[in-house]
Amino acid sequence: MGAEELTLRLEDVLAVDADAFQRRAMAEADDIVDAIESGAFDNHQAIVGFEYEFYAVDRDTGALRRVPRRLLELMGFEKELGLHNAEMTTSPQPLNADGLRAQEAEICARLRAAQSVANAEGMQLVSDALWTLPPAGESARAYLTDSVERTIGEGGEGSDETPQERTVTLAANMSDAARYHAMANTDRADAAGMVLDCPNVSLEAQTVMPESLITSIQPHYQVPHAPDLPAYFTYALRIAGPLLALGVNAPFLPADLYDDEVTPETILEDAWMEHRISIFETVLNDPSAGAGKVRFPRDIDSVGDAVARIASDDTIVPMPVETGHRFDDDFAHFRRKHGTYWRWVRPVFDGASRSAANARIEFRPIPAQPTVRDSVAFLATFAGLLESLTRLEHPVRELDWAVARENFYAAMRDGLEAEIHWITNDGQETTDIDALYEDLFAHAEEGLSSQGLSEDEIAAYLYPLRRRVRQRQTPAAWKHDRVAEEIENGQPFDSALESMQRAYIERQRETLFGGSFSEWKGE
């Protein structure tokens, strides 16, 4: 899509009446609650799904690469925020042995095909939380902040206002989806921070493009009985910190984003283990505008409460809505709001047909992982935990919400070295890491066993994460150790960072499909 066509689409988006959009969303929320009460969103079993984000690099140098749109179509992947991004969404499957195998098989089949297309163009799709090597000949700062201005007319058909010209800002390296560009140009744009605020890093932008630094995996869990969603949600919030601590993978940002006067030793000392969390929050939240849309959510009292929260959430981009004959077209405005309901754990209500309608929990804290096995390990662990903790009414549900929230941000900062509070199955409060994960994995095992998985199957799924606890090693720690070693050997920070990133990409190339991160120990 050219700039002119994008500008026209952006004009259509910005012409949407925000108040009318919000009224429709609120009315549709009432219809959803009625449908939930009639059983329309129930399943006869738990169902799992997965979203998997990647970025593209040059196969030879590891430098970031823009993915031509025609290649995305050939890959069968979806575009994400940046021109370098690609995203895969798997088909939902029942939570059982065959369903989990199907999830992993679909990921591998589609990713192999996509890598083949990328390789033909001299590219590689990388599963990583945060890219650090900008495109060849460009700085990360310029890539993230380059923009152009265009003039559009405001008002138009259906409006009482006289059309007026206005200037909009388009990010040069952002995908051509109008909703991405609209976030910097709506009347509510000031609700987004559009800055990076991480230790020793400061960047201001005119768009939300800095968010394209980060990529994630997102396990989905469709609850069997929609009215029970609040109980599952409570447990999802309590396991968010412990699972994030296992998955941290982003201790560094691109070298040119760090403040000029900062030393390598200070960067190493101050680094958080998962900068992806702070990037998403500071780019999309303005601290002067209240709690912000990206945040650790509060507990849900009822399924109606969950629906109401989504419907009443601040609408930054009220998109035009087209309806057809899908079941969820009856609440198309509400469904649009899911796209900017940015919580680290969020409820979702949708479905193309009444039989496919579902209430699910999307678990968003986990960054993209080194291998497919590591990624599927998080899906299996998350699903097994929700299955077991909820059914057995595990006492960790009594952990105070504020403590669960602090666990989450402690894990962001320190990974497996964080002090994380937990309540074990026998009701004992602990911060002992071994006791915590012994209890957590025991219940993940129980949940998967209850769905018919064998002991060997369960052991295989949980092995990559168990090894991280035993080795006290996360992907972020692996990166941090390599950069620290390079600096100790006299390398400047930018060279040390580049060496580490190339090593990560090369090691992933060897282990993406058949191995796991646990094999990287000591390398």
Side-chain angles (χ1 to χ4, degrees), residues 344-509:
W344 290 114
V345 183
R346 73 179 182 188
V348 174
F349 304 87
D350 66 9
S353 64
R354 186 179 178 90
S355 61
N358 65 89
R360 67 176 182 268
I361 294 173
E362 293 185 355
F363 194 69
R364 302 163 61 82
I366 308 301
Q369 294 295 301
T371 75
V372 170
R373 282 192 63 195
D374 292 295
S375 301
V376 175
F378 275 104
L379 171 62
T381 301
F382 172 69
L385 285 170
L386 288 195
E387 193 69 27
S388 175
L389 298 177
T390 308
R391 178 168 45 80
L392 299 179
E393 298 184 349
H394 190 285
V396 78
R397 66 181 177 178
E398 302 301 327
L399 187 72
D400 188 83
W401 173 85
V403 176
R405 181 183 184 277
E406 178 51 35
N407 284 346
F408 180 76
Y409 289 103
M412 174 198 78
R413 294 187 295 269
D414 299 322
L416 283 177
E417 295 184 3
E419 181 176 89
I420 297 178
H421 295 259
W422 185 256
I423 301 176
T424 60
N425 190 57
D426 58 4
Q428 297 299 308
E429 296 188 18
T430 185
T431 57
D432 180 80
I433 186 172
D434 293 309
L436 186 166
Y437 286 108
E438 180 182 358
D439 189 64
L440 185 144
F441 286 128
H443 285 84
E445 286 181 353
E446 199 283 333
L448 295 174
S449 177
S450 72
Q451 298 305 298
L453 275 74
S454 69
E455 289 185 6
D456 288 344
E457 288 170 330
I458 295 169
Y461 281 122
L462 301 188
Y463 173 81
L465 303 188
R466 284 187 177 277
R467 287 280 289 175
R468 294 188 187 189
V469 176
R470 286 198 290 269
Q471 295 175 341
R472 296 296 197 267
Q473 183 81 332
T474 62
W478 182 90
K479 291 178 175 179
H480 193 274
D481 290 347
R482 289 192 72 104
V483 172
E485 182 179 354
E486 292 284 336
I487 289 173
E488 187 175 340
N489 290 335
Q491 292 295 318
F493 176 73
D494 57 349
S495 297
L497 184 65
E498 181 175 351
S499 176
M500 177 278 294
Q501 193 66 61
R502 287 183 175 181
Y504 181 98
I505 292 169
E506 180 61 34
R507 198 71 185 93
Q508 182 173 103
R509 189 180 301 165

Side-chain angles (χ1 to χ4, degrees), residues 12 14-18 20 23 154-163:
D12 290 340
L14 298 179
V16 173
D17 185 320
R23 287 194 296 272
E154 193 175 37
E157 185 177 353
S159 172
D160 295 331
E161 300 178 4
T162 302

Side-chain angles (χ1 to χ4, degrees), residues 244-385:
L244 175 59
L246 284 172
V248 290
N249 193 18
F252 302 113
L253 283 78
D256 71 270
L257 297 183
Y258 285 94
D259 299 333
D260 291 338
E261 70 279 4
V262 67
T263 65
E265 292 74 19
T266 299
I267 292 174
L268 287 168
E269 182 179 353
D270 295 347
W272 292 340
M273 292 296 99
E274 191 50 51
H275 283 116
R276 172 180 162 266
I277 301 296
S278 58
I279 289 171
F280 199 20
E281 292 192 355
T282 59
V283 171
L284 292 174
N285 293 343
D286 179 353
S288 68
K293 286 173 66 67
V294 184
R295 62 181 186 263
F296 189 82
R298 289 195 170 273
D299 292 324
I300 293 172
D301 294 329
S302 68
V303 70
D305 180 29
V307 174
R309 286 191 191 181
I310 297 167
S312 61
D313 191 52
D314 183 24
T315 303
I316 292 181
V317 184
M319 294 285 292
V321 172
E322 297 180 2
T323 60
H325 302 290
R326 288 172 52 116
F327 170 77
D328 52 13
D329 281 335
D330 289 341
F331 46 93
H333 294 78
F334 178 91
R335 186 156 54 97
R336 280 286 191 192
K337 298 206 68 167
H338 279 133
T340 59
Y341 187 67
W342 297 311
R343 305 298 191 271
W344 290 114
V345 183
R346 73 179 182 188
V348 174
F349 304 87
D350 66 9
S353 64
R354 186 179 178 90
S355 61
N358 65 89
R360 67 176 182 268
I361 294 173
E362 293 185 355
F363 194 69
R364 302 163 61 82
I366 308 301
Q369 294 295 301
T371 75
V372 170
R373 282 192 63 195
D374 292 295
S375 301
V376 175
F378 275 104
L379 171 62
T381 301
F382 172 69
L385 285 170

